Amino acid sequence: MSACGGGVGDGSSDGSGAAEGLWRGTTNTNRILAGVILDDGTYWFIYSSVGNSAVSAGVIQGNGSSSYGTFSSSNGKDFNLEGLVVTNFTLASAAKAKNSLGGTLTYSPGDTTTFISSYDTNYDLTPSLSAIAGAYAGAAVTTGGSAFATVTFSDSGTISGKDAGGCAFTGNAAPRAKGNVYNLSVTFGGGDCANGTSTVKGVAYFDADSKLITSAALNSDRTDVFIYVGT
């Protein structure tokens, strides 16, 4: 395991423990990695194309648990949008609370990817629907490809959007009780939507300095993914 710092023994045997937070880092394969580990142990990370931080190439998602400065998961899924494949993995990592997180993703039949990351203190801010209200322009990414999309968030949490291919979607966002993160639900309108009429659920994060919203969501059986990044 390639850890990026010593573990801090917090005594937790479930949930995320010292690993909770917003993390930004890199992999040994030259990808940028950014995401969140929630207080219940659920994690979402978006990774970039190799050497190009501006292009979202996939999402890793799963549920894990913490014990004495370690965070592990046995049900991770890697939604790689470059190869259009979904791959299972296990995660073993070491965490130093609000400082560093690093570890190894092990895929079958034994391929591994290592990562190191640092804590982003923006996780400690309080989420607010009025803070994210507004119209955004950016990229919507699914297993069907990537398209420019405009999305509007209201101050009541409702979401409406449409991509350049004609796919319309609606949904809602709600602040989580802990961490500067929003729960997200999006339902696609069928027709030109690669996701048909399915509903995906996930999380969103808003960076107030850059006015950038980043979100990732999955369908109920964890076979399809939706990413939206907009300013």
Side-chain angles (χ1 to χ4, degrees), residues 98-133:
K98 297 190 176 185
N99 186 293
S100 57
L101 174 75
T104 301
L105 285 67
T106 301
Y107 300 82
S108 179
D111 295 333
T112 62
T113 297
T114 61
F115 71 95
I116 56 174
S117 62
S118 299
Y119 186 79
D120 186 331
T121 57
N122 282 315
Y123 182 79
D124 302 324
L125 301 177
T126 301
S128 164
L129 289 175
S130 60
I132 65 170

mmCIF file of all heavy atoms in Angstrom, residues 98-133:
data_model
loop_
_atom_site.group_PDB
_atom_site.id
_atom_site.type_symbol
_atom_site.label_atom_id
_atom_site.label_comp_id
_atom_site.label_asym_id
_atom_site.label_seq_id
_atom_site.Cartn_x
_atom_site.Cartn_y
_atom_site.Cartn_z
ATOM 1 N N LYS A 98 -7.956 15.131 8.198
ATOM 2 C CA LYS A 98 -7.870 16.486 7.673
ATOM 3 C C LYS A 98 -6.463 16.844 7.202
ATOM 4 O O LYS A 98 -6.035 17.990 7.262
ATOM 5 C CB LYS A 98 -8.360 17.504 8.705
ATOM 6 C CG LYS A 98 -9.825 17.329 9.061
ATOM 7 C CD LYS A 98 -10.353 18.486 9.885
ATOM 8 C CE LYS A 98 -11.841 18.317 10.137
ATOM 9 N NZ LYS A 98 -12.433 19.475 10.833
ATOM 10 N N ASN A 99 -5.757 15.830 6.690
ATOM 11 C CA ASN A 99 -4.386 16.048 6.243
ATOM 12 C C ASN A 99 -4.080 15.283 4.956
ATOM 13 O O ASN A 99 -3.864 15.890 3.908
ATOM 14 C CB ASN A 99 -3.410 15.661 7.354
ATOM 15 C CG ASN A 99 -1.983 15.991 7.026
ATOM 16 O OD1 ASN A 99 -1.381 15.406 6.122
ATOM 17 N ND2 ASN A 99 -1.397 16.938 7.749
ATOM 18 N N SER A 100 -4.056 13.952 5.023
ATOM 19 C CA SER A 100 -3.625 13.165 3.876
ATOM 20 C C SER A 100 -4.344 11.829 3.811
ATOM 21 O O SER A 100 -4.756 11.267 4.829
ATOM 22 C CB SER A 100 -2.109 12.934 3.930
ATOM 23 O OG SER A 100 -1.750 12.289 5.144
ATOM 24 N N LEU A 101 -4.470 11.338 2.590
ATOM 25 C CA LEU A 101 -5.101 10.049 2.335
ATOM 26 C C LEU A 101 -4.384 9.423 1.148
ATOM 27 O O LEU A 101 -4.183 10.062 0.119
ATOM 28 C CB LEU A 101 -6.586 10.232 1.992
ATOM 29 C CG LEU A 101 -7.364 8.990 1.547
ATOM 30 C CD1 LEU A 101 -7.652 8.096 2.749
ATOM 31 C CD2 LEU A 101 -8.664 9.392 0.861
ATOM 32 N N GLY A 102 -3.976 8.185 1.296
ATOM 33 C CA GLY A 102 -3.293 7.503 0.193
ATOM 34 C C GLY A 102 -3.481 6.017 0.291
ATOM 35 O O GLY A 102 -3.685 5.463 1.377
ATOM 36 N N GLY A 103 -3.436 5.339 -0.844
ATOM 37 C CA GLY A 103 -3.625 3.900 -0.800
ATOM 38 C C GLY A 103 -3.594 3.242 -2.154
ATOM 39 O O GLY A 103 -3.062 3.794 -3.121
ATOM 40 N N THR A 104 -4.207 2.058 -2.226
ATOM 41 C CA THR A 104 -4.139 1.213 -3.411
ATOM 42 C C THR A 104 -5.518 0.688 -3.779
ATOM 43 O O THR A 104 -6.259 0.215 -2.918
ATOM 44 C CB THR A 104 -3.193 0.019 -3.166
ATOM 45 O OG1 THR A 104 -1.891 0.511 -2.844
ATOM 46 C CG2 THR A 104 -3.107 -0.871 -4.389
ATOM 47 N N LEU A 105 -5.844 0.774 -5.067
ATOM 48 C CA LEU A 105 -7.018 0.116 -5.629
ATOM 49 C C LEU A 105 -6.524 -1.156 -6.307
ATOM 50 O O LEU A 105 -5.640 -1.105 -7.166
ATOM 51 C CB LEU A 105 -7.724 1.004 -6.654
ATOM 52 C CG LEU A 105 -8.568 2.182 -6.156
ATOM 53 C CD1 LEU A 105 -7.694 3.255 -5.513
ATOM 54 C CD2 LEU A 105 -9.359 2.774 -7.318
ATOM 55 N N THR A 106 -7.088 -2.292 -5.910
ATOM 56 C CA THR A 106 -6.678 -3.575 -6.481
ATOM 57 C C THR A 106 -7.819 -4.146 -7.307
ATOM 58 O O THR A 106 -8.918 -4.388 -6.800
ATOM 59 C CB THR A 106 -6.295 -4.569 -5.377
ATOM 60 O OG1 THR A 106 -5.215 -4.025 -4.601
ATOM 61 C CG2 THR A 106 -5.856 -5.891 -5.983
ATOM 62 N N TYR A 107 -7.552 -4.339 -8.597
ATOM 63 C CA TYR A 107 -8.539 -4.870 -9.534
ATOM 64 C C TYR A 107 -8.255 -6.347 -9.774
ATOM 65 O O TYR A 107 -7.130 -6.815 -9.638
ATOM 66 C CB TYR A 107 -8.460 -4.125 -10.869
ATOM 67 C CG TYR A 107 -8.706 -2.633 -10.782
ATOM 68 C CD1 TYR A 107 -7.685 -1.753 -10.410
ATOM 69 C CD2 TYR A 107 -9.954 -2.099 -11.080
ATOM 70 C CE1 TYR A 107 -7.904 -0.383 -10.333
ATOM 71 C CE2 TYR A 107 -10.182 -0.733 -11.009
ATOM 72 C CZ TYR A 107 -9.158 0.118 -10.636
ATOM 73 O OH TYR A 107 -9.381 1.472 -10.551
ATOM 74 N N SER A 108 -9.279 -7.077 -10.177
ATOM 75 C CA SER A 108 -9.073 -8.449 -10.602
ATOM 76 C C SER A 108 -8.558 -8.413 -12.045
ATOM 77 O O SER A 108 -9.077 -7.652 -12.863
ATOM 78 C CB SER A 108 -10.404 -9.207 -10.534
ATOM 79 O OG SER A 108 -10.258 -10.537 -10.956
ATOM 80 N N PRO A 109 -7.532 -9.178 -12.375
ATOM 81 C CA PRO A 109 -6.900 -10.267 -11.637
ATOM 82 C C PRO A 109 -5.641 -9.850 -10.884
ATOM 83 O O PRO A 109 -4.684 -10.628 -10.828
ATOM 84 C CB PRO A 109 -6.553 -11.239 -12.754
ATOM 85 C CG PRO A 109 -6.190 -10.327 -13.906
ATOM 86 C CD PRO A 109 -7.073 -9.121 -13.772
ATOM 87 N N GLY A 110 -5.571 -8.650 -10.353
ATOM 88 C CA GLY A 110 -4.411 -8.252 -9.576
ATOM 89 C C GLY A 110 -3.779 -6.950 -10.001
ATOM 90 O O GLY A 110 -2.765 -6.531 -9.435
ATOM 91 N N ASP A 111 -4.324 -6.281 -11.005
ATOM 92 C CA ASP A 111 -3.816 -4.975 -11.408
ATOM 93 C C ASP A 111 -4.073 -3.979 -10.278
ATOM 94 O O ASP A 111 -5.098 -4.051 -9.583
ATOM 95 C CB ASP A 111 -4.501 -4.486 -12.676
ATOM 96 C CG ASP A 111 -4.189 -5.358 -13.880
ATOM 97 O OD1 ASP A 111 -3.114 -5.988 -13.885
ATOM 98 O OD2 ASP A 111 -5.030 -5.425 -14.795
ATOM 99 N N THR A 112 -3.162 -3.032 -10.112
ATOM 100 C CA THR A 112 -3.308 -2.060 -9.036
ATOM 101 C C THR A 112 -3.089 -0.640 -9.540
ATOM 102 O O THR A 112 -2.379 -0.414 -10.514
ATOM 103 C CB THR A 112 -2.311 -2.327 -7.889
ATOM 104 O OG1 THR A 112 -0.976 -2.204 -8.385
ATOM 105 C CG2 THR A 112 -2.520 -3.701 -7.282
ATOM 106 N N THR A 113 -3.725 0.307 -8.854
ATOM 107 C CA THR A 113 -3.487 1.727 -9.046
ATOM 108 C C THR A 113 -3.294 2.343 -7.673
ATOM 109 O O THR A 113 -4.074 2.069 -6.750
ATOM 110 C CB THR A 113 -4.675 2.410 -9.744
ATOM 111 O OG1 THR A 113 -4.845 1.877 -11.050
ATOM 112 C CG2 THR A 113 -4.453 3.914 -9.839
ATOM 113 N N THR A 114 -2.257 3.139 -7.514
ATOM 114 C CA THR A 114 -2.015 3.808 -6.241
ATOM 115 C C THR A 114 -2.329 5.293 -6.372
ATOM 116 O O THR A 114 -2.324 5.855 -7.469
ATOM 117 C CB THR A 114 -0.568 3.622 -5.772
ATOM 118 O OG1 THR A 114 0.329 4.190 -6.730
ATOM 119 C CG2 THR A 114 -0.243 2.149 -5.590
ATOM 120 N N PHE A 115 -2.615 5.932 -5.239
ATOM 121 C CA PHE A 115 -2.926 7.353 -5.243
ATOM 122 C C PHE A 115 -2.445 8.008 -3.954
ATOM 123 O O PHE A 115 -2.274 7.355 -2.923
ATOM 124 C CB PHE A 115 -4.443 7.573 -5.399
ATOM 125 C CG PHE A 115 -5.243 7.182 -4.183
ATOM 126 C CD1 PHE A 115 -5.589 8.121 -3.224
ATOM 127 C CD2 PHE A 115 -5.635 5.861 -3.999
ATOM 128 C CE1 PHE A 115 -6.316 7.753 -2.096
ATOM 129 C CE2 PHE A 115 -6.368 5.486 -2.886
ATOM 130 C CZ PHE A 115 -6.710 6.441 -1.927
ATOM 131 N N ILE A 116 -2.229 9.306 -4.046
ATOM 132 C CA ILE A 116 -1.968 10.139 -2.879
ATOM 133 C C ILE A 116 -2.855 11.375 -2.997
ATOM 134 O O ILE A 116 -3.155 11.835 -4.104
ATOM 135 C CB ILE A 116 -0.485 10.553 -2.758
ATOM 136 C CG1 ILE A 116 -0.014 11.264 -4.033
ATOM 137 C CG2 ILE A 116 0.396 9.358 -2.451
ATOM 138 C CD1 ILE A 116 1.389 11.837 -3.925
ATOM 139 N N SER A 117 -3.309 11.914 -1.867
ATOM 140 C CA SER A 117 -4.182 13.080 -1.909
ATOM 141 C C SER A 117 -4.058 13.886 -0.625
ATOM 142 O O SER A 117 -3.595 13.390 0.405
ATOM 143 C CB SER A 117 -5.645 12.658 -2.117
ATOM 144 O OG SER A 117 -6.096 11.862 -1.039
ATOM 145 N N SER A 118 -4.499 15.143 -0.717
ATOM 146 C CA SER A 118 -4.468 16.064 0.419
ATOM 147 C C SER A 118 -5.880 16.552 0.728
ATOM 148 O O SER A 118 -6.735 16.633 -0.153
ATOM 149 C CB SER A 118 -3.559 17.265 0.115
ATOM 150 O OG SER A 118 -2.239 16.855 -0.129
ATOM 151 N N TYR A 119 -6.103 16.914 1.976
ATOM 152 C CA TYR A 119 -7.408 17.366 2.443
ATOM 153 C C TYR A 119 -7.698 18.780 1.960
ATOM 154 O O TYR A 119 -6.829 19.652 1.967
ATOM 155 C CB TYR A 119 -7.435 17.334 3.971
ATOM 156 C CG TYR A 119 -8.766 17.637 4.601
ATOM 157 C CD1 TYR A 119 -9.758 16.672 4.662
ATOM 158 C CD2 TYR A 119 -9.025 18.899 5.149
ATOM 159 C CE1 TYR A 119 -10.979 16.938 5.255
ATOM 160 C CE2 TYR A 119 -10.252 19.172 5.750
ATOM 161 C CZ TYR A 119 -11.219 18.182 5.795
ATOM 162 O OH TYR A 119 -12.428 18.457 6.390
ATOM 163 N N ASP A 120 -8.949 19.008 1.514
ATOM 164 C CA ASP A 120 -9.408 20.329 1.101
ATOM 165 C C ASP A 120 -10.316 20.871 2.201
ATOM 166 O O ASP A 120 -11.377 20.308 2.476
ATOM 167 C CB ASP A 120 -10.166 20.223 -0.219
ATOM 168 C CG ASP A 120 -10.545 21.583 -0.799
ATOM 169 O OD1 ASP A 120 -10.736 22.538 -0.025
ATOM 170 O OD2 ASP A 120 -10.682 21.683 -2.037
ATOM 171 N N THR A 121 -9.913 21.972 2.835
ATOM 172 C CA THR A 121 -10.656 22.518 3.976
ATOM 173 C C THR A 121 -12.021 23.074 3.595
ATOM 174 O O THR A 121 -12.832 23.382 4.477
ATOM 175 C CB THR A 121 -9.847 23.618 4.669
ATOM 176 O OG1 THR A 121 -9.515 24.644 3.712
ATOM 177 C CG2 THR A 121 -8.568 23.055 5.260
ATOM 178 N N ASN A 122 -12.315 23.203 2.301
ATOM 179 C CA ASN A 122 -13.655 23.625 1.890
ATOM 180 C C ASN A 122 -14.726 22.630 2.339
ATOM 181 O O ASN A 122 -15.916 22.981 2.406
ATOM 182 C CB ASN A 122 -13.724 23.806 0.376
ATOM 183 C CG ASN A 122 -13.095 25.112 -0.071
ATOM 184 O OD1 ASN A 122 -13.334 26.152 0.511
ATOM 185 N ND2 ASN A 122 -12.275 25.039 -1.106
ATOM 186 N N TYR A 123 -14.316 21.404 2.672
ATOM 187 C CA TYR A 123 -15.270 20.424 3.185
ATOM 188 C C TYR A 123 -15.885 20.887 4.501
ATOM 189 O O TYR A 123 -17.005 20.498 4.841
ATOM 190 C CB TYR A 123 -14.572 19.073 3.388
ATOM 191 C CG TYR A 123 -15.492 17.974 3.870
ATOM 192 C CD1 TYR A 123 -16.345 17.309 2.988
ATOM 193 C CD2 TYR A 123 -15.513 17.592 5.214
ATOM 194 C CE1 TYR A 123 -17.183 16.292 3.426
ATOM 195 C CE2 TYR A 123 -16.354 16.578 5.663
ATOM 196 C CZ TYR A 123 -17.188 15.939 4.767
ATOM 197 O OH TYR A 123 -18.031 14.943 5.206
ATOM 198 N N ASP A 124 -15.176 21.734 5.240
ATOM 199 C CA ASP A 124 -15.621 22.158 6.566
ATOM 200 C C ASP A 124 -16.655 23.282 6.513
ATOM 201 O O ASP A 124 -17.210 23.659 7.546
ATOM 202 C CB ASP A 124 -14.426 22.618 7.402
ATOM 203 C CG ASP A 124 -13.385 21.523 7.554
ATOM 204 O OD1 ASP A 124 -13.773 20.344 7.652
ATOM 205 O OD2 ASP A 124 -12.178 21.843 7.559
ATOM 206 N N LEU A 125 -16.903 23.837 5.322
ATOM 207 C CA LEU A 125 -17.894 24.902 5.195
ATOM 208 C C LEU A 125 -19.313 24.324 5.244
ATOM 209 O O LEU A 125 -19.512 23.124 5.081
ATOM 210 C CB LEU A 125 -17.682 25.661 3.880
ATOM 211 C CG LEU A 125 -16.314 26.311 3.689
ATOM 212 C CD1 LEU A 125 -16.228 26.963 2.311
ATOM 213 C CD2 LEU A 125 -16.039 27.331 4.792
ATOM 214 N N THR A 126 -20.298 25.191 5.465
ATOM 215 C CA THR A 126 -21.696 24.766 5.544
ATOM 216 C C THR A 126 -22.367 24.896 4.182
ATOM 217 O O THR A 126 -22.342 25.973 3.585
ATOM 218 C CB THR A 126 -22.467 25.611 6.567
ATOM 219 O OG1 THR A 126 -21.842 25.485 7.844
ATOM 220 C CG2 THR A 126 -23.919 25.159 6.661
ATOM 221 N N PRO A 127 -22.960 23.812 3.662
ATOM 222 C CA PRO A 127 -23.624 23.893 2.356
ATOM 223 C C PRO A 127 -24.900 24.718 2.434
ATOM 224 O O PRO A 127 -25.558 24.765 3.472
ATOM 225 C CB PRO A 127 -23.921 22.431 2.021
ATOM 226 C CG PRO A 127 -24.043 21.766 3.352
ATOM 227 C CD PRO A 127 -23.061 22.467 4.248
ATOM 228 N N SER A 128 -25.264 25.361 1.333
ATOM 229 C CA SER A 128 -26.441 26.220 1.295
ATOM 230 C C SER A 128 -27.033 26.205 -0.103
ATOM 231 O O SER A 128 -26.316 26.399 -1.088
ATOM 232 C CB SER A 128 -26.059 27.653 1.692
ATOM 233 O OG SER A 128 -27.059 28.574 1.332
ATOM 234 N N LEU A 129 -28.343 25.991 -0.205
ATOM 235 C CA LEU A 129 -28.988 25.983 -1.512
ATOM 236 C C LEU A 129 -28.924 27.342 -2.185
ATOM 237 O O LEU A 129 -28.817 27.438 -3.413
ATOM 238 C CB LEU A 129 -30.446 25.538 -1.370
ATOM 239 C CG LEU A 129 -30.663 24.059 -1.044
ATOM 240 C CD1 LEU A 129 -32.137 23.788 -0.810
ATOM 241 C CD2 LEU A 129 -30.118 23.176 -2.160
ATOM 242 N N SER A 130 -28.965 28.406 -1.395
ATOM 243 C CA SER A 130 -28.868 29.740 -1.992
ATOM 244 C C SER A 130 -27.489 29.981 -2.585
ATOM 245 O O SER A 130 -27.335 30.731 -3.550
ATOM 246 C CB SER A 130 -29.181 30.814 -0.940
ATOM 247 O OG SER A 130 -28.270 30.756 0.139
ATOM 248 N N ALA A 131 -26.465 29.317 -2.027
ATOM 249 C CA ALA A 131 -25.101 29.488 -2.542
ATOM 250 C C ALA A 131 -24.931 28.865 -3.917
ATOM 251 O O ALA A 131 -24.175 29.378 -4.745
ATOM 252 C CB ALA A 131 -24.100 28.880 -1.568
ATOM 253 N N ILE A 132 -25.633 27.770 -4.187
ATOM 254 C CA ILE A 132 -25.455 27.094 -5.481
ATOM 255 C C ILE A 132 -26.513 27.503 -6.504
ATOM 256 O O ILE A 132 -26.434 27.097 -7.659
ATOM 257 C CB ILE A 132 -25.470 25.564 -5.320
ATOM 258 C CG1 ILE A 132 -26.849 25.066 -4.846
ATOM 259 C CG2 ILE A 132 -24.376 25.106 -4.374
ATOM 260 C CD1 ILE A 132 -26.981 23.557 -4.895
ATOM 261 N N ALA A 133 -27.507 28.312 -6.090
ATOM 262 C CA ALA A 133 -28.569 28.697 -7.019
ATOM 263 C C ALA A 133 -28.003 29.474 -8.201
ATOM 264 O O ALA A 133 -27.154 30.353 -8.037
ATOM 265 C CB ALA A 133 -29.612 29.539 -6.288
#
